[in-house]
Amino acid sequence: MNHEELLSKEELVRTFFESFNNSEVEEILRIVKGYPFVRPIAIGMASYCLRKFKDNFSKELFFWLILMSLKLDEGDICLRLNEESILELIKENVFPKGMTDESIYTLAKNTVVAFIENTLNTPISADNTLISSDKDRKTPLIAYRFEDKSQARIYLRSFYCYESSLADFIKEKAKDESLDEEHKNSLKNSLNILFGSADGKKVNYQKVAAALSCTSPFTVICGGPGTGKTTTVLRILLLLLANSNDSNIRIKLAAPTGKAAGRMVESIVSQIKSFNEVALKLFNQDEDLMNQRLSQIPHESSTVHSLLKVHPHNEIPTYNEENKLPCDILVVDEISMISLGMFSKLISAIDDNTRVIMLGDKDQLCSVEPGSVLSDICSVLSNEKSLSDDKLALLSDLTGYSKDEINAKKDGLNIVSDNVLLLVDSWRFSSESKLGKLANLVNNSIGKDPSSIKATFDDLVTVNQDENTLFVDDKNTEVTLNYIDDSKKNRFALKALSSKIAKTMVDFYSPENMYLGYLKANNFVIRETEKMSKTVFSLLDKYRILCANRRGSLGVEEINEKVNNNIRQIYRKDKDLKEYSDDVFYPGAVIMVTRNDRFLNLENGDIGFVAYQSEAEREKHKAKVFFPPKQGDKPRIVSPERISDYESGFAITIHKSQGSEYQNVCMVLAEKYNPILTKELVYTGLTRAKSEKVDDRIEGGIVSIITDEKILAEAIQTKVNRESGLALMLNKN
């Protein structure tokens, strides 16, 4: 930006604030319409308010609507009337970069201070039809906690209703169930069978989580990758089945994406057989009863959209407040990914008698849409006392651990509350794992000394000095850093880097025992459908490129294009594959679905590969897309021309990768500042990598990071802070 452009933008901002100080609402609307930082939605809302609520629509409310629209872009649910946070919002979204005129900042600050004071000190009249503190009055705007000026917030009505209904649901479900002595003793015995007795051993918080879930109608089990959330859920289901007189318990499993739903049910089903011996003890050696009850554990899972039967262009799902889900136990995984709006729909459809168990990682990325529901629910763990005396005594009695052992803290947080439990022991990373230590460092970096973090960080990673490779070939290296120095940030250098990223993936996939090599060795024909497709999916997940951004030289779109071009070029040089190189759906291509399609049984985020079902179809170029099974072992097979919403899936965003695991990850962050670069993004990308035991050896668990050094350091000390009122509502008596 040259000097003249900066002056022009500074004058625009000055005019914006002066208009709010000197003009009436109609004139302000005329002036600011078209300003780059005034969103169309704010103009639309203001125009509507002027038509319908002219007597109540002040310039203060217009000002807050403009800022609220900026907040929604950042994932916030409401606007907190706090001078510091509002000025920070204005600095990031209104002031031009490099602004030097201090008088504009002073003007903005004075306007904010005056408008906050006017808003909070002007009583809202009982006949005000635009804003009210009572949601039952159905005003478009909601004033929340205006009596407590430090916490005052303004909401759009829909978002306030979402949060308040969720808070009411959790509080209502938080009521403890009464247990008679017989039931209590039965639970004690079952817990000891499943987890072993306490006997002075270290607290097994999976056991405490199971006890919590069996005594509370609503439980959230939170923990990072490898802490055993799904294993704990299986044990909880066994516990509930063994301690119920109901012979037909309806259990449903769900997650926000098809991939996450598939992983959860795969994990549960694969472990059931290993619990047979323990389960037999639970059912007092009655094998018929055991088999009957185990058959009630679902072998399929669905997305939350599918569970509720959400239909396009229909605001109300099939299952809703008037038509509850037919379900006795509901398990929902990866809840950090669920938006506030969808969460509201979900809880509206849950029957009063349904037991709800939710799983997630509070430190992962929030949903793409506004809200941070899991983080807000887990905020109770930061209270000085989060566990009631009665619940603490009950958990101690059921598990055999002392009250002090249960009522412990981890990283300053309580581990257990009346309805939330934090699993703290990771089974994925060994105590010596550098990747595990790095993920923990990133996760706990906020507020720490940057130089101390850098020193620890440098001890855990290997900086790659070889420009010809993105991975360091060393068995002791788990995390490789490929820094982008300033001389490599020009357009041509970045394009060369993205080409190298693409080539690295293709080279990895090309050997005969890898994804493309295996498919090629079988002429891209999936003969033994179930067995071969399972092998291909496994090989595909041995490597994945995860990007921070969709667009740009280091974004998903460009890297996918280069991977596809790279593969096509290889095919063109192969006489047996040349004829397939120009096919839109060429054999070996990877497809990611971008929109739910209930007719094809496909979910947003499903990833499949292109191959043939027979030699005859290969000769006719009649390819199919193979997607992982939803139930059993049979893949979903779809003709590509029937898929209308898709994109290439070799590289995906880190957001899209949540709920997935890969042996090796190439994490592409950015070469310049980007507001989405946060510790949550880096942590999520790092923890997608998972090592596996293959023929008595450990494979994978390796991450290569591509980024600017300063940008990475800033990212891991930047936390996502979404403004909402849910935590306040949950903590309000």
Side-chain angles (χ1 to χ4, degrees), residues 9-17 37 94-96 104:
K9 290 186 176 182
E10 286 182 350
E11 283 308 307
L12 197 71
V13 174
R14 185 191 299 278
T15 301
F16 173 79
F17 286 104
F37 47 82
V94 178
F95 293 160
I104 297 177

Side-chain angles (χ1 to χ4, degrees), residues 13 19 36 59 71 79 124 278 288 317 421 451 495 514 520:
V13 174
S19 69
K59 57 185 177 183
K71 281 287 189 183
L79 177 70
I124 299 174
V278 172
D288 290 337
L421 183 138
S451 60
K495 284 187 173 295
M514 290 297 171
K520 182 181 176 184

